[in-house]
Amino acid sequence: MNRQQLAPTQQAHPVEVRRVYERALAGSSVRSRHVEVGAGGRVHLLEKGAGPPVVLLHGTGNSAGFLLPLLNELHGVRATAPDLPGVGLSDPIDLPGDRYRERAVTWLDRLLDTLELDATTLVGHWLGEPAKTAATIVDFMR
């Protein structure tokens, strides 16, 4: 897979989405930031704490903000919840159905490299297709 295949389209995110995050994070110990992953794509992160790393992945129809109540309760870990590609404040990537797993695993691998996480605990929230999700994570094992 070449860089161009994963090159996302940077998008201007709606002001409303940014404002929702700002309001939700007001007074919280969770912080918001963007990182560049791969060929220039921005990934929005919610982060909290220090300690062993835990990466929380939201499900379809949600953003990382869905995990904010959990992030607020976690202690003793470095918790990171990214907005998945094209969701919340993250840029989209091409995820064709016939190569979804491969592209999703590559995206997650590049994100973890960017965050300098050689090992982490992954926590996922999905309502559908648990077998497909499990297969993706098994494929991902570094």
Side-chain angles (χ1 to χ4, degrees):
M1 180 174 321
N2 65 41
R3 284 184 178 268
Q4 188 173 11
Q5 288 173 312
L6 277 177
T9 304
Q10 287 196 350
Q11 64 184 29
H13 299 281
V15 171
E16 296 81 21
V17 175
R18 292 174 199 258
R19 287 184 182 148
V20 166
Y21 269 114
E22 289 170 5
R23 284 192 307 268
L25 295 172
S28 172
S29 60
V30 176
R31 70 182 185 117
S32 171
R33 72 176 175 122
H34 281 89
V35 295
E36 297 286 330
V37 175
R42 294 173 300 163
V43 176
H44 176 249
L45 306 172
L46 297 179
E47 297 177 304
K48 179 187 174 189
V54 176
V55 175
L56 304 152
L57 302 172
H58 64 80
T60 304
N62 298 312
S63 67
F66 173 80
L67 298 165
L68 191 55
L70 177 59
L71 286 167
N72 281 318
E73 297 300 320
L74 289 176
H75 305 283
V77 296
R78 174 186 168 193
T80 303
D83 277 332
L84 296 180
V87 178
L89 296 175
S90 287
D91 291 335
I93 62 171
D94 184 30
L95 288 170
D98 63 334
R99 299 188 68 190
Y100 179 88
R101 280 180 38 191
E102 176 186 347
R103 299 259 175 103
V105 167
T106 299
W107 178 87
L108 185 55
D109 192 42
R110 288 184 177 175
L111 174 63
L112 295 183
D113 284 347
T114 299
L115 298 175
E116 300 179 351
L117 298 176
D118 293 327
T120 189
T121 298
L122 292 175
V123 177
H125 174 266
W126 286 271
L127 295 176
E129 301 188 50
K132 183 176 180 181
T133 300
T136 299
I137 291 173
V138 168
D139 283 351
F140 176 73
M141 296 184 128
R142 299 173 80 130

